[in-house]
Amino acid sequence: MPHIAARAVLAALLVVVLPLLMTGHARAEGPVTLSRTGQITDKVGALGDRKTEVAQTLDKLYDDDGIQLFVAYVRDFSGQSAKSWANSTAERNGLGLDDILLAVATHDRQYAYSVDQDSRLSEAQLQQVATTAVEPALKQNDWAGAAIGAARGYEAVLAGQPVPTPAITPGEPDPGAAEDHGPATGDLVLPVVAVGSAGALAAYAYTRSKRKRNGGGGNGSPAGWSQGPAPTPLPDLDKQARLLLVQTDDAVRTSTEELGFAAAQFGDDAVKRFQDAVTYAKGELTSAFKLRQQLDDAFPEDDATKRRMLDEIVSRCSEANRRLDAETADFDRLRALEQNAPEALTLAEGTFREVSARTTAAAGTYTTLTTRYADSASAPVSGHIEEAKERLLFATGTLNQARQAVDAGENGPAAVYLRAAEGAVDQAGTLVDAVDRLAAELGQAEAKLPGALTETQTDLADARGLLQGTTTGTSTADLQGRIARAETVLQDVRAVVAGGRYDPIDALRRIEEADAALDEALSGAREREVADQRARGLLDQTLLTARSAVGAAADYITTHRGGVGSEARTRLAEAQRHLAAADALAATDASGALARAQQADSMARQAQQLAERDVGSFDPYGGQMAGRSRSGGTGGAVLGGIILGEVLGGMG
């Protein structure tokens, strides 16, 4: 039976951790713990007998201006960019609002400064100090002079004075070089080759949001100390960020699926470490999507801000993948499908039978939905039953092949087919769950609608009373418009309900939106207690429609992710974030929760539309669709984004 290797590592994701795994180069200096006895950390003896002079200058800056300048001298930045190393070290040591870190790699001739985004020092002031006082000293190997120049420069700009030109005292070109044991180029060979092989997708280390202003530092020659190579053009960086968002989202989704299989086999306690890794990666991805949404909104950023945000998206995605990658080997050992193939196959076959039975039941549920409600009501799950059956048909073939391989004692091929079957069954289950969930949501919306209509009628009466009591000469155009809109919606919804087949969720959503507009106009005239009660009543309805929209979009993107781009995923991530915020606020701030739930509902519907657009225009010969490779194989993944791409050869 022809088959090829079971897994192929996605190079653009794995490359993030390669430098971290290379422990043989003892000289490389990762982000360090700063000195606990002062503001100077000198790992290479760069300051020599001038350490006291530097310390006195740093103390003066603090005494005069309340700014703590920390300086760190190391041999190199262990393959990270200068600014990423500085940011990571600042975060590791908990530097705050009035703290600055100046990091210098003496051998690699790189430097960077890390400053809180809300610091009193502007970007222009920071750059002025760097070019006038720091770089000139570094070019002449005046290691102490760079720190002194920085401290005096910051003191000057805070006082509104010019940055003083430093008096240069040339020093040793490569302090600490006598401790080297091997060729100087060895430290950076791996990171340079690795980044190049992945199209520089992982060239950015993780940067916390509070560390956003960074000075230069590049791969300058020994005579240099330049600001580094030319930055990636913004259009290219934007494409890079979008691609990495999609890849990371896929890695998290497929890792979540794989985790579910492992938990079913070994129990929740056995997979807790891996669950923690996935949770962490989800958090980083959520933050990255939030940045992407800010870039996509109607308020354009300047180029500098856009670059910083794109860099952070890449950094956060890289960190998410790094964390997943760190657990990959142990996770694979836990599952060890080649060794556990017979037991895992038995479990998968049982799950297959369960999902098959549920698919048959869901088909009847879907028929009831289409008979009872308007076509738009069942549209979110249209085609789900057919797609579930297709995946189960695929799983039937792969499970049979896995069983044959197990019976023949060929556990390697069995593991490949088994993993493919698990993915197909999981997606079928997601599709079936969506049908059952929608049926429940439609029933809930139908039950809530009469009460919502009554509440809106009450609000209309209050609004008309407010209109009549308005002082002559005061503009009432806005209130009149809200009243007219609510009256129209109320009339239309009552008409569709009386007409027979209708969409309860859409009807409830329309009533909510009209009523929310009335509530906003009435909020000033109502007592706070009454306003809170009304907001809480609306919140219950809005949470239902929001959860329905978010769930539908999430299911669609998960089961069609091979053809969905970054924009739809971004809207979904933001919808999920707003929905979580609404749930958190529900008990204490009904009005705030209501606003978040409305945002979640709107963004989820946008995500659904964008995803359907992507899938509708997807070229099945240009990439993967719904987990299937174009060769007929199946895609899947484990922690770290290890992808099963075309691993099943010509299997169809």
Side-chain angles (χ1 to χ4, degrees):
M1 181 181 304
H3 66 277
I4 59 177
R7 292 195 303 270
V9 178
L10 185 62
L13 303 181
L14 183 58
V15 70
V16 180
V17 297
L18 286 177
L20 304 178
L21 299 178
M22 298 298 291
T23 58
H25 298 288
R27 294 166 295 154
E29 191 71 71
V32 299
T33 299
L34 299 177
S35 171
R36 300 306 184 196
T37 59
Q39 293 163 233
I40 299 172
T41 303
D42 187 359
K43 298 284 190 178
V44 292
L47 298 182
D49 58 6
R50 300 184 66 189
K51 185 173 182 179
T52 300
E53 180 186 359
V54 172
Q56 290 173 345
T57 308
L58 302 183
D59 288 343
K60 185 176 185 300
L61 175 63
Y62 179 74
D63 292 339
D64 292 348
D65 296 286
I67 296 288
Q68 286 194 99
L69 173 59
F70 294 85
V71 293
Y73 297 88
V74 295
R75 185 181 187 278
D76 58 56
F77 293 136
S78 65
Q80 295 187 43
S81 70
K83 63 181 180 181
S84 294
W85 191 97
N87 285 333
S88 297
T89 298
E91 289 295 338
R92 176 174 177 172
N93 290 274
L95 301 195
L97 179 64
D98 290 322
D99 299 333
I100 303 173
L101 173 64
L102 174 65
V104 179
T106 56
H107 177 77
D108 286 350
R109 310 191 70 78
Q110 299 176 350
Y111 83 99
Y113 49 83
S114 179
V115 184
D116 192 280
Q117 64 176 350
D118 297 321
S119 170
R120 287 176 280 163
L121 292 158
S122 69
E123 186 64 45
Q125 290 172 326
L126 291 165
Q127 189 61 37
Q128 183 183 5
V129 173
T131 56
T132 304
V134 178
E135 287 187 13
L138 292 176
K139 287 180 179 179
Q140 299 297 318
N141 308 318
D142 186 359
W143 315 113
I148 293 169
R152 291 175 178 170
Y154 297 142
E155 191 170 6
V157 296
L158 286 170
Q161 300 172 356
V163 177
T165 302
I168 304 297
T169 303
E172 187 179 347
D174 191 4
E179 301 175 7
D180 290 351
H181 304 285
T185 58
D187 291 342
L188 290 183
V189 167
L190 178 63
V192 169
V193 171
V195 170
S197 67
L201 282 179
Y204 302 85
Y206 177 47
T207 304
R208 295 283 186 184
S209 61
K210 295 219 38 151
R211 299 284 157 191
K212 293 178 179 176
R213 294 204 198 99
N214 304 285
N219 294 321
S221 65
W225 294 100
S226 68
Q227 288 286 332
T232 304
L234 270 178
D236 293 342
L237 184 59
D238 186 80
K239 291 178 183 178
Q240 188 181 102
R242 290 178 185 274
L243 175 62
L244 195 51
L245 273 172
V246 171
Q247 292 174 334
T248 306
D249 191 43
D250 280 345
V252 168
R253 289 177 187 278
T254 48
S255 293
T256 300
E257 292 174 357
E258 191 79 9
L259 196 62
F261 307 144
Q265 188 173 0
F266 302 106
D268 292 337
D269 290 344
V271 300
K272 185 181 184 306
R273 275 180 48 219
F274 314 116
Q275 180 62 67
D276 290 345
V278 171
T279 299
Y280 178 86
K282 285 180 177 178
E284 290 300 295
L285 187 59
T286 296
S287 296
F289 275 127
K290 182 179 179 181
L291 288 166
R292 183 72 256 179
Q293 177 61 39
Q294 292 171 4
L295 288 169
D296 289 346
D297 64 21
F299 305 98
E301 291 78 14
D302 58 58
D303 285 353
T305 301
K306 186 175 183 180
R307 179 175 296 279
R308 172 184 57 75
M309 294 170 71
L310 290 171
D311 279 346
E312 187 171 346
I313 288 172
V314 173
S315 297
R316 287 188 179 275
C317 288
S318 298
E319 176 65 10
N321 282 289
R322 182 203 63 75
R323 181 66 186 273
L324 293 176
D325 287 339
E327 303 292 348
T328 297
D330 286 345
F331 187 81
D332 283 347
R333 280 192 290 272
L334 173 68
R335 290 212 73 196
L337 285 182
E338 291 191 23
Q339 288 75 32
N340 301 321
E343 296 83 359
L345 177 58
T346 298
L347 180 63
E349 288 171 335
T351 304
F352 170 82
R353 289 190 291 271
E354 176 192 351
V355 174
S356 296
R358 289 175 51 221
T359 301
T360 301
T365 300
Y366 179 72
T367 299
T368 300
L369 295 183
T370 58
T371 302
R372 181 172 181 175
Y373 300 114
D375 292 345
S376 62
S378 58
V381 295
S382 175
H384 276 35
I385 300 301
E386 290 72 19
E387 289 189 36
K389 290 178 178 178
E390 290 175 358
R391 284 160 174 75
L392 291 173
L393 180 61
F394 174 78
T396 299
T398 51
L399 285 172
N400 286 338
Q401 289 169 302
R403 175 59 65 188
Q404 293 171 12
V406 166
D407 292 344
E410 299 176 350
N411 283 4
V416 176
Y417 291 117
L418 176 57
R419 195 175 293 258
E422 286 177 332
V425 171
D426 184 80
Q427 288 197 8
T430 298
L431 293 164
V432 169
D433 287 342
V435 174
D436 293 337
R437 187 183 64 245
L438 180 62
E441 291 166 347
L442 287 168
Q444 292 170 24
E446 192 173 19
K448 290 179 181 294
L449 190 57
L453 288 167
T454 300
E455 291 287 356
T456 303
Q457 186 65 59
T458 300
D459 285 346
L460 267 173
D462 290 346
R464 293 187 189 106
L466 180 63
L467 187 63
Q468 293 173 359
T470 301
T471 305
T472 304
T474 302
S475 175
T476 60
D478 179 68
L479 180 57
Q480 289 182 27
R482 294 173 190 240
I483 291 174
R485 185 160 58 251
E487 288 174 337
T488 300
V489 170
L490 203 61
Q491 182 179 356
D492 289 348
V493 169
R494 282 175 170 160
V496 297
V497 171
R501 293 173 67 240
Y502 72 101
D503 183 344
I505 291 178
D506 180 67
L508 188 62
R509 179 181 288 120
R510 293 178 63 193
I511 288 293
E512 289 164 6
E513 291 171 349
D515 205 0
L518 287 177
D519 270 355
E520 185 179 347
L522 293 168
S523 60
R526 282 174 167 164
E527 295 292 336
R528 176 179 295 275
E529 183 178 352
V530 175
D532 286 345
Q533 289 175 351
R534 287 296 301 123
R536 195 163 300 284
L538 274 174
L539 175 61
D540 185 48
Q541 301 164 20
T542 306
L543 282 173
L544 171 60
T545 56
R547 289 193 183 107
S548 178
V550 169
D555 290 340
Y556 188 87
I557 290 174
T558 295
T559 55
H560 298 79
R561 59 183 176 266
V564 178
S566 65
E567 195 174 3
R569 296 168 191 254
T570 298
R571 300 298 181 277
L572 173 60
E574 281 294 279
Q576 291 169 327
R577 186 174 68 84
H578 284 299
L579 182 58
D583 287 330
L585 291 170
T588 57
D589 182 4
S591 296
L594 178 61
R596 289 298 193 106
Q598 290 168 337
Q599 287 178 295
D601 185 40
S602 174
M603 286 190 160
R605 285 184 285 150
Q606 291 176 37
Q608 179 90 23
Q609 293 168 357
L610 290 166
E612 290 174 352
R613 180 201 66 186
D614 289 346
V615 172
S617 61
F618 180 73
D619 178 7
Y621 296 98
Q624 292 186 336
M625 173 66 128
R628 295 291 297 274
S629 73
R630 68 184 185 188
S631 66
T634 191
V638 298
L639 292 165
I642 297 179
I643 306 299
L644 282 175
E646 301 188 10
V647 298
L648 301 182
M651 183 177 64

